[in-house]
Amino acid sequence: MNVLFVVCGEGLGHASRSVKLANYIKEQGVNCSFATYGKAYSFIQDRTDCPVYELSREVMLGGTGGYFSIGKTIAGIPVSLVKSFLTAWKILRREDIDVVVCDTMFAAGAAAKILQIPVLFMTNQNYFGSLTNPNAWYWKIFGKVIRTYLSFVPKKVLVPDFAPPNTISEYNFRLTEKNREQYVFIGPILDPAIHEVTPTRETVFASFGGESFNMPLYWMLKEISEINPRVTVQVCSPSEGLPEEGANFKIAGYVKNTFPYIARAKAAIIHGGLSTLHEAVYLGKPVLLIVDPNHPEEGNNGRKVEELGCGIMIRKDSVTKESLHEAICSCMEMEAADMRGLYEKEDGRVGFSRVLEEVVSANSRRTRKP
């Protein structure tokens, strides 16, 4: 069996989880390859010996005044989708692919559908609504378009999260009786090496994106580390524009895995992306989510994190050095809910492998019919 993972290159969470899935099914004799772009291209090459094809990007996350901007983000999407479709089409026509796994990439799924190649689509959401404008017309239209696509193109929609009622991304989904069976909550996708680390309580972990509009937050953290010796900040980010290191402010730069750093933390400051969030929750670390109120995913994840007792959420538009300092201290004293038992029951790699086998088996039966 030949499986092509088509991976969104915005951030590294998509690439990280897709590599973990590929490494797992390779042990079962499956041939895997990747198509992606940006930082994810070199990230995947560094973590696997699978072929990696370069794909045109579909979206470029944009920001204005330190916040996510829907206008800047969607401006170039139509042209980008066409380019991505064409590059994916060439790859699929050239290579012998049995199944395409799209991790939040849409054009390649459409190309595979036309070529009658089964598609699995992995995503954290089918509903969009920011804290600032949860019912804005553009979020409603965007969500409708995405849900329509997901109802026609993939065989199954894979959610790398706990099954209800413990789904951290719960508020980013709208499921109905009509579409519910198509969605499979396969479970969180963790690196198996995370089970071997021993959690301690030494630092405050911080990693919430390397975009330029996030740099002011890192500077706040450095100032806090200088006035409070209990707050030794460990930043994991290779981005330019970070403050210089100090006695209590350390920068790891590019790291292959963040979970060894999270394991040493009293608290983890992150932006609410699902991959890093699950690593922190598994390790029992209380999380402080600094969410962009204009972002369509972060605030919804934050709501569920608070409900589950795994951390607290603060809005980026209300953050000051003083309020951030207070939130960090509160988070360091928090006893996070113990979710480890759920991770043992719901392994996303096992769930993915099961769905893959079912889809391939069903497709084989159809192709054998006279």
Side-chain angles (χ1 to χ4, degrees):
M1 187 196 315
N2 298 318
V3 176
L4 173 67
F5 289 85
V6 185
V7 182
C8 175
E10 305 303 316
L12 295 176
H14 303 281
S16 176
R17 67 192 184 193
S18 291
V19 166
K20 292 165 192 168
L21 293 179
N23 288 340
Y24 182 74
I25 62 175
K26 279 175 61 183
E27 296 175 356
Q28 303 166 27
V30 178
N31 298 317
C32 298
S33 56
F34 290 85
T36 189
Y37 61 91
K39 292 181 179 178
Y41 183 82
S42 56
F43 178 92
I44 293 172
Q45 284 185 317
D46 188 45
R47 286 162 174 75
T48 179
D49 57 359
C50 299
V52 184
Y53 308 107
E54 192 160 12
L55 197 68
S56 295
R57 73 189 320 135
E58 292 183 352
V59 64
M60 169 77 79
L61 298 182
T64 300
Y67 301 98
F68 172 82
S69 168
I70 181 64
K72 287 194 172 185
T73 298
I74 67 174
I77 285 181
V79 173
S80 297
L81 282 172
V82 172
K83 291 181 178 179
S84 183
F85 177 91
L86 293 174
T87 53
W89 179 270
K90 291 178 181 177
I91 294 169
L92 292 172
R93 289 292 300 271
R94 185 177 68 243
E95 305 299 327
D96 180 22
I97 304 298
D98 298 303
V99 179
V100 173
V101 181
C102 294
D103 191 332
T104 322
M105 292 287 280
F106 298 88
K113 178 77 172 180
I114 294 171
L115 293 169
Q116 299 184 332
I117 302 172
V119 177
L120 295 174
F121 196 96
M122 187 154 54
T123 184
N124 303 339
Q125 62 186 142
N126 72 0
Y127 165 80
F128 302 83
S130 63
L131 294 177
T132 303
N133 294 302
N135 297 309
W137 63 268
Y138 47 83
W139 290 133
K140 290 182 179 179
I141 293 174
F142 192 54
K144 180 66 174 177
V145 170
I146 298 303
R147 289 191 293 276
T148 301
Y149 171 96
L150 294 176
S151 68
F152 284 105
V153 174
K155 298 291 185 182
K156 293 290 183 179
V157 179
L158 310 178
V159 183
D161 203 348
F162 296 128
N166 299 304
T167 312
I168 290 178
S169 56
E170 173 185 348
Y171 296 122
N172 287 310
F173 283 95
R174 291 294 182 270
L175 301 182
T176 65
E177 291 301 320
K178 185 177 180 180
N179 70 6
R180 193 177 302 274
E181 289 188 0
Q182 190 183 15
Y183 287 74
V184 183
F185 292 81
I186 60 174
I189 302 168
L190 298 177
D191 189 316
I194 198 173
H195 308 306
E196 301 171 7
V197 300
T198 301
T200 58
R201 295 176 58 83
E202 304 168 35
T203 65
V204 172
F205 173 84
S207 183
F208 38 78
E211 296 85 0
S212 59
F213 53 80
N214 282 320
M215 288 304 122
L217 292 172
Y218 288 111
W219 284 87
M220 282 187 194
L221 285 175
K222 180 171 186 186
E223 292 179 19
I224 292 169
S225 73
E226 292 173 341
I227 62 176
N228 187 343
R230 293 181 61 235
V231 181
T232 299
V233 179
Q234 175 65 72
V235 173
C236 285
S237 173
S239 303
E240 297 180 358
L242 291 168
E244 292 185 0
E245 287 194 340
N248 285 347
F249 188 83
K250 305 299 181 182
I251 301 174
Y254 172 80
V255 297
K256 193 166 186 177
N257 291 301
T258 57
F259 64 81
Y261 296 87
I262 298 174
R264 296 198 291 268
K266 304 173 187 175
I269 307 175
I270 52 183
H271 57 39
L274 198 58
S275 295
T276 305
L277 184 50
H278 268 301
E279 290 180 347
V281 173
Y282 171 80
L283 291 167
K285 305 300 180 178
V287 294
L288 172 57
L289 303 182
I290 305 179
V291 301
D292 186 330
N294 298 330
H295 195 281
E297 178 185 6
E298 295 174 3
N300 289 328
N301 285 346
R303 288 172 56 197
K304 188 65 176 183
V305 164
E306 290 187 331
E307 289 179 12
L308 292 171
C310 298
I312 57 179
M313 169 179 68
I314 57 175
R315 290 172 53 137
K316 187 188 291 187
D317 56 349
S318 66
V319 170
T320 63
K321 183 176 70 175
E322 291 72 26
S323 66
L324 180 56
H325 188 184
E326 181 180 350
I328 292 171
C329 291
S330 297
C331 200
M332 288 194 302
E333 299 300 322
M334 180 181 180
E335 189 69 31
D338 185 359
M339 306 282 285
R340 187 165 293 213
L342 282 175
Y343 288 96
E344 295 174 355
K345 295 177 182 177
E346 302 183 43
D347 186 332
R349 300 174 307 151
V350 175
F352 170 76
S353 180
R354 181 180 64 250
V355 175
L356 180 64
E357 289 179 7
E358 291 171 355
V359 168
V360 171
S361 177
N363 190 63
S364 297
R365 288 196 298 270
R366 279 193 293 271
T367 57
R368 284 199 301 266
K369 288 183 179 180

